[in-house]
């Protein structure tokens, strides 16, 4: 029976994760489960000049005196009241920019015939396009929702400036005869950590939901991440070290299971009762 109990708490089970992070860097790979729609009051679109042709006409461009992107490398456009409906098959790289703006670099395979064209208003963008979202968007209209395979942070190596600053994680699991998920593990993340959530089977990608806004103290982006219940694990990478997986131990599961705690209490009470009865019986002549 003891072996069965230990096996029950050691055996992997579905779990969900919650992360509260402050970061300067985030990658999102959109997939078939992605439903990302952004409604933005204003947006700067920086198109890489090397990917444009002379036949393309984008209308009025941003004057060089007010441009925010490198005028040599990019053709800059201003668009107001745009709706972005992100299709699957994109890699979005989000970075904290100047004046608390959020820069989004959009990458995709332009030779993929199944990829839906990425339109921003009347502009069909190309891969490596840089989108600059001003800080006023977050203060006036709130945060942005993200769905897809998330990787937060970059390894703290030489020359890397966009890092995860700090954060914390929580792991929840369901127990036998319980419908609610219980907190079984939690911890803190450090400067320069790289964190992601993946399935136990790496061939089956796991989509996470994230809510993105600006940190109230001016320290980059604030990110709240939650995942569905699945056979998954939290992956942690650090510079010059092998990847580690943050998973609760059987002892943590045992300590957080109310049924196990109650059963242990009953056994203790039963044992104490037997000890008292045994002591009383021994005193009888």
């Amino acid at each position: 029976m003891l072996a069965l109990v230990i096996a029950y708490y050691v055996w992997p089970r579905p779990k969900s994760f919650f992360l509260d992070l402050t970061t300067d860097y985030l990658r999102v790979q959109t997939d078939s489960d992605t439903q990302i729609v952004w409604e933005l009051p204003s947006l700067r679109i920086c198109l890489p000049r090397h990917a444009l042709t002379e036949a393309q006409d984008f209308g009025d461009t941003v004057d060089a005196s007010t441009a925010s992107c490198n005028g040599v490398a990019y053709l800059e456009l201003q668009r107001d009241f745009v709706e972005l409906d992100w299709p699957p098959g994109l890699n979005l790289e989000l970075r904290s920019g100047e004046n608390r703006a959020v820069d989004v670099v959009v990458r995709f395979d332009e030779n993929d015939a199944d990829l839906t064209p990425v339109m921003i208003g009347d502009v069909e963008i190309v891969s490596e396009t840089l989108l600059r979202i001003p800080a006023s968007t977050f203060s006036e209209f709130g945060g942005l929702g993200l769905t897809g395979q998330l990787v937060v942070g970059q390894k703290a190596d030489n020359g890397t400036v966009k890092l995860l600053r700090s954060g914390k994680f929580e792991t929840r699991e369901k127990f036998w005869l319980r419908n609610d998920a219980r907190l079984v593990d939690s911890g803190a993340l450090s400067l320069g950590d790289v964190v992601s959530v993946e399935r136990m089977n790496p061939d089956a990608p796991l989509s996470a939901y994230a809510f993105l806004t600006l940190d109230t103290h001016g320290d980059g982006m604030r990110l709240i991440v939650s995942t569905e219940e699945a056979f998954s694990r939290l992956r942690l990478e650090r510079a010059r070290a092998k990847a580690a997986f943050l998973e609760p131990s059987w002892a943590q599961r045992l300590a957080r299971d109310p049924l196990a705690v109650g059963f242990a209490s009953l056994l203790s009470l039963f044992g104490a009762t037997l000890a008292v009865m045994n002591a009383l019986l021994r005193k009888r002549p």
Side-chain angles (χ1 to χ4, degrees):
M1 183 177 293
L2 179 61
L4 290 175
V5 170
I6 294 177
Y8 171 74
Y9 289 103
V10 170
W11 199 261
R13 64 186 67 189
K15 56 179 68 71
S16 59
F17 295 95
F18 172 83
L19 299 96
D20 186 350
L21 310 168
T22 302
T23 184
D24 288 317
Y25 186 86
L26 162 69
R27 293 199 317 272
V28 182
Q29 183 177 350
T30 63
D31 53 30
S32 57
D33 296 329
T34 295
Q35 293 181 348
I36 306 178
V37 179
W38 294 351
E39 295 182 354
L40 305 176
S42 64
L43 180 68
R44 289 289 177 96
I45 306 172
C46 303
L47 300 167
R49 292 185 181 275
H50 68 84
L52 305 179
T53 63
E54 296 181 357
Q56 292 175 285
D57 182 14
F58 298 102
D60 295 336
T61 60
V62 175
D63 186 82
S65 61
T66 60
S68 59
C69 298
N70 185 333
V72 176
Y74 294 99
L75 175 69
E76 188 167 345
L77 309 173
Q78 171 73 33
R79 291 294 184 269
D80 298 323
F81 303 105
V82 297
E83 181 179 285
L84 302 182
D85 188 356
W86 298 114
L90 303 181
N91 285 286
L92 307 179
E93 183 180 285
L94 289 81
R95 304 178 300 216
S96 56
E98 298 179 359
N99 300 320
R100 304 198 69 198
V102 173
D103 293 339
V104 184
V105 180
V106 185
R107 297 187 175 94
F108 52 88
D109 183 3
E110 296 178 319
N111 297 320
D112 186 357
D114 296 328
L115 181 68
T116 303
V118 183
M119 301 294 299
I120 301 180
D122 58 342
V123 180
E124 180 178 346
I125 67 172
V126 296
S127 184
E128 300 294 337
T129 294
L130 170 65
L131 308 179
R132 180 153 290 170
I133 305 173
S136 59
T137 296
F138 300 93
S139 59
E140 297 175 10
F141 293 89
L144 300 174
L146 297 164
T147 308
Q149 300 165 53
L150 304 179
V151 178
V152 185
Q154 297 185 98
K155 293 182 181 179
D157 212 336
N158 294 332
T160 306
V161 294
K162 302 296 183 182
L163 305 170
L164 183 145
R165 294 172 179 257
S166 62
K168 58 184 180 180
F169 71 91
E170 295 179 353
T171 306
R172 286 177 167 79
E173 296 179 349
K174 288 184 179 179
F175 293 94
W176 185 50
L177 299 179
R178 302 283 298 187
N179 291 325
D180 58 322
R182 309 285 297 188
L183 178 67
V184 294
D185 192 17
S186 62
L189 299 169
S190 303
L191 178 69
D193 286 347
V194 181
V195 62
S196 59
V197 181
E198 62 179 32
R199 293 188 189 272
M200 302 298 290
N201 177 11
D203 295 330
L206 176 66
S207 289
Y209 173 76
F211 181 76
L212 173 71
T213 186
L214 298 181
D215 184 73
T216 55
H217 303 292
D219 296 329
M221 301 176 288
R222 176 80 179 275
L223 196 67
I224 305 297
V225 181
S226 59
T227 68
E228 64 178 336
E229 187 179 89
F231 284 97
S232 55
R233 56 188 180 180
L234 195 66
R235 181 186 180 94
L236 177 66
E237 298 179 75
R238 288 175 173 163
R240 313 297 172 87
K242 292 183 178 180
F245 298 98
L246 305 180
E247 297 186 83
S249 66
W250 70 270
Q252 289 174 302
R253 292 189 178 114
L254 184 64
R256 298 299 179 99
D257 188 352
L259 185 63
V261 173
F263 187 64
S265 300
L266 288 176
L267 284 179
S268 299
L269 180 61
F270 182 67
T273 303
L274 288 179
V276 171
M277 293 180 62
N278 183 58
L280 292 175
L281 290 174
R282 286 176 177 273
K283 291 182 179 181
R284 296 180 62 181

